[in-house]
Amino acid sequence: MPRRPTPSSTGTTAPRNRTPQPVTIRRRSFGDFVKAFLAFVALAVLLVGVPLALATQIGWPLPDGVPSLDWLQQEITVHTFLNILTVVVWLAWAQFTACVLIEMKAALSGVGVPGRVPGAGPSQLLARQLVAALLLVGATAASFTPGLSQLGQSYDGNQKPTVAAAQATPGLFTQQQERAAGAAAALAEQASQVAAHADAGGSTARQGDTKYYRIQPPEGRHHDSLWEIAQRHLGDGRRYKEIFELNKDRAQPDGSRLSEASLIRPGWIMEMPGDARGGELVEMPAPEVSPDVQQQIADYAQTGDHAQGGGGAGAQGGGAAGGHEQAGGGATQVSVPEQRPAHGSGDRQVATGAESDSAFGLPEALLAAPLLAAGLLGALGRRRRQALWQSAFGAVGGRRGMEPPTPSGDAQDVQDALLVGADPEGVRLLDRSLRGLAASLAEESRALPVVYAAWLSNGDLHLQLAQPAGKPPAPWQQGQDQTFWMLARSDGERYEDVDTAAPYPGLVSLGTMDDSRLLLNLEAVPGIVSLSGREADRAAVFASVAAELATNGWSDRMTITLVGFGEDLTPLAPNRIRHLEDVEALVETMEAETRQRRGALGAAGHDSVLTGRTGPAQHTRWAPHLVLLAAQPSAEDAVKLAELAADASRLGIGYLVGTETGDLPGAAWEMEITDRGKLLAPLLGLELDAQVLPAAQQRAVVELFVEADPERESGRPATTPPFLVDISEQGRPAVYARLVGPYEIIGLDTPDGDRSALLHEALALLLLHREGVHPRVLSSALWPRGVTDDVRSALLDRLRDWLGTDPDGTPRLGTDGSGRLTLAQSVVSDLDVLRSLYHEATQGKGVDSRAVRGRLLTDALVLVRGPLLADRPEGRYRWLTHEIVDAQLPLLVADTGLALCAFHMERNRAEKAIEALDAALRTAPADERLWHELLRATHATGDTDRLTARAAGLIARSGARGLPPRTEALLDELLPTWRDAIAAAG
């Protein structure tokens, strides 16, 4: 198992991913060379010495000719036993040699996890340790730790390759020799900058204060980087941008130029800010500089923006390629994709900044997490619908839970934040794009490539592949190099739903860099992902990751195991989330599952879960299992987890482990969360605004899901609608809106101009939420891609003017104490009246008076003219997808029809009952309860032919699915000959 070197095992200290700590670079110790020499001797003995000893001392162990039957009857002598033992030793030597070759190839290529030799567990582990010890003194970081190679580097257009990217992944030894050869020339170049600046007039400081630094060649697994240079010599790694701006686009001694902060090469010269300190810096001029070197200095100084006097300002105010690329010279660097306009993406970005000042009461963490918010909002809606349906079919009479409980306090703020921040369209595009890619590759009989991460940038989707996978299928395009596939938003919008498994369900949002969002594929990481930082900050990241994985829209099946946190997160997705008490239970569970998955893959003949996930052998065993361990594991447990994670990416298992120290064995990628909400991984080149779910918001989210739990509905009394209308003659409203059916408004003039549709939609939203609507919720519903404050304010002013005031001068559109928009009681909808009539008939005056109950139910059913907002224009009212009113209305109408049917059947008025049921079926045609009562009412008429016709209509409506079992049982009871009668008629 490849492991990161520790001070006890290598003699060197690898740089950690914690920027507040100064990074110390140490030379290889004498112990490193001793270990390497001993490893070389051991390999020589095992690979060369063993076969030589066998050949010279024992000779050929197998028979010289074809054995006969007499040979099988001979006595087994000591010589025969030695020959058998020799064959076994030869086989063991061949197996060990294969292990060494595989481990050497993996170490030299730096790609993925080494392949496994069948039955060679201990042998391969020994080979891996010997190879690692031998190559440690010369290997690069990329040789041992696969990473996010130049993820999301900027590009011109869609397919312009980056020259420096091709130079950033050198061979193991050749590139080091080239770097060493260029070091001497670069050292002379270092001394040159001041003279050149004096001649060109472009120095950023006084001549005697100008300092220079030469990029150092790699040391073991460490690469020099601008981040670490700034950390050592400027005291803050984030000041790497100043170094970048001072040297950007200036010709280096080897003829190349610095264009990306993450792409630097040994031997290059970096001019440093005037306050740089440290013994490795060179201050010039020096008297020994030759005229030739001075000329080279002059040539170098004339390149770059500083030669025109702009270097100083740019160094202090600018950022590298958008201001967030991280430094590093290895192949595990990440930079954000170049920002370019995308269809329909600009408005939402404007809205984010424009509305930030008015986000009173709304949690910013959820506003900045559109994919997480969309997943939570979708799961909450499904949970509420499930509770509603369970309540509906549990009791025909008094309704239990017709209205879901109205949240308050933090839960209400969180619900509003979900409504504002959610980007369901983005989730839909991501899901369809990934499934479409899988379907296209399957049609071409190509395997799914391993994807380490994805960027969402202005609607475009960028996939970072673990290794080149050829030309992507249309409409995907190749990105800046062969390890990037890109899909433009306009192309992704043309994808339709396809019947294929989700190819990359382990993708999860980590944070944003400018306007780009990073999703890491946890199940594809070649090892453990570690997260360090304060406990509360780590917990917020873990909660965000767990919540998004549990509710995201681009996964089909998933198991999320939480250890050390998250017992209360289970209500988010009881079928996905499980909680284990401690690390010991986790290790036991994962050892068993790892064995099972290995066996299943071998039996199916697949190399990894990717080859079986979307092919004909789809099975739940290919679903991802993501482990989130927030507790710090012990040293022994950490080693066990590292062993399990070594082959986890092939098996579809991912590990995210929290650590207090940042030193975790087997950690392929290391990250840190700061107290300012930054997610840092300097050696990966990451500096993100972290996506988090703080403890208070986590509790509020869980409260929303717990309140919507269907199991909690059974013991609750019938609920009261949030707004009851005065249904007497004196309660005539000033403004009456008909929402159940075609949208009509009585009492207001139709607004003129293009704003009429927006005003109608805004009023409909307010009518469906009598408890109040946050202004940001209203604006996000009307303008899903965002809008500025002045546009929203102008619409609210028009809405107030349109609604007018009551006779006492009170505005019909007001605000409550929390700033939410509310309507006056004089503004009423037919849905409000329908709810009030049903409530009064079943829980009010109608309970004690049969005549009042019948009149109220009849009046209620007359209001039903069709589905909610039946004639709404296409493309508008998309916020209804987040509501449950589309499920509430059919159930309310069905309950009203059933109650009126029962009222008439008490007096044996079957025709009246049938009339009521037919009216209810026009709005709730799928409600099985209505059909059952219709069959009973028709049976009560005594007309067998009519009952047979009803049964035939039900069969035709059911289609290939056939009649539900309860419906068949009811027909058998009411009309035993219905099957023969329908067969004869048809």
Side-chain angles (χ1 to χ4, degrees), residues 239-398:
R239 292 186 63 187
Y240 77 91
K241 303 172 186 178
E242 301 177 29
I243 305 175
F244 176 83
E245 289 295 331
L246 285 174
N247 299 275
K248 182 181 179 182
D249 295 328
R250 297 171 65 179
Q252 293 292 336
D254 59 1
S256 55
R257 297 175 184 270
L258 176 63
S259 60
E260 294 287 341
S262 61
L263 299 176
I264 59 177
R265 302 183 65 185
W268 281 7
I269 300 168
M270 296 290 116
E271 180 181 347
M272 301 292 289
D275 61 340
R277 297 290 183 269
E280 297 174 340
L281 300 177
V282 177
E283 291 192 42
M284 295 302 291
E288 63 273 13
V289 175
S290 65
D292 293 339
V293 173
Q294 291 182 12
Q295 183 59 45
Q296 294 176 356
I297 293 173
D299 294 340
Y300 180 70
Q302 291 173 3
T303 63
D305 294 338
H306 74 288
Q308 286 74 37
Q316 298 300 325
H324 287 282
E325 294 89 333
Q326 295 304 316
T332 58
Q333 304 305 311
V334 182
S335 59
V336 66
E338 180 180 283
Q339 302 299 303
R340 67 186 187 90
H343 172 67
S345 63
D347 293 340
R348 191 171 184 89
Q349 302 302 330
V350 172
T352 302
E355 297 182 345
S356 60
D357 295 336
S358 61
F360 54 90
L362 297 189
E364 291 292 341
L366 288 172
L367 295 177
L371 303 184
L372 169 61
L376 289 171
L377 196 60
L380 182 60
R382 291 190 295 271
R383 183 68 56 81
R384 286 174 171 171
R385 285 181 174 84
Q386 182 183 0
L388 190 65
W389 292 327
Q390 183 168 320
S391 175
F393 288 95
V396 176

Side-chain angles (χ1 to χ4, degrees), residues 863-934:
L863 294 175
V864 180
R865 301 174 299 125
L868 187 73
L869 297 168
D871 59 350
R872 58 180 181 264
E874 185 178 358
R876 303 211 64 88
Y877 297 87
R878 292 185 177 178
W879 46 269
L880 282 173
T881 59
H882 302 315
E883 308 284 344
I884 66 168
V885 66
D886 60 335
Q888 283 179 309
L889 179 59
L891 291 175
L892 175 60
V893 173
D895 282 348
T896 304
L898 291 171
L900 188 56
C901 171
F903 171 81
H904 288 303
M905 291 300 292
E906 289 175 0
R907 295 297 180 89
N908 296 320
R909 294 198 289 256
E911 292 296 339
K912 288 289 186 179
I914 292 173
E915 182 180 342
L917 293 170
D918 283 335
L921 280 168
R922 286 193 288 270
T923 299
D927 198 311
E928 188 180 358
R929 299 172 301 163
L930 292 175
W931 286 104
H932 289 177
E933 294 305 314
L934 184 61

Side-chain angles (χ1 to χ4, degrees), residues 467-479:
Q467 57 189 2
K471 182 180 179 180
W476 289 78
Q477 306 172 38
Q478 186 169 299

Side-chain angles (χ1 to χ4, degrees), residues 734-769:
V735 178
Y736 183 65
R738 305 178 74 181
L739 305 180
V740 184
Y743 191 4
E744 299 177 13
I745 298 179
I746 302 172
L748 293 177
D749 295 331
T750 302
D752 297 329
D754 299 334
R755 297 291 180 180
S756 176
L758 282 173
L759 292 174
H760 279 76
E761 187 173 357
L763 179 57
L765 177 62
L766 292 168
L767 286 168
L768 293 177
H769 290 277

Side-chain angles (χ1 to χ4, degrees), residues 22 34 102 240-241 261 445 458 519 537 626 637 846 851:
V34 171
I102 289 175
Y240 77 91
K241 303 172 186 178
S445 298
N458 285 333
L519 291 87
D537 298 324
L626 303 177
D637 290 333

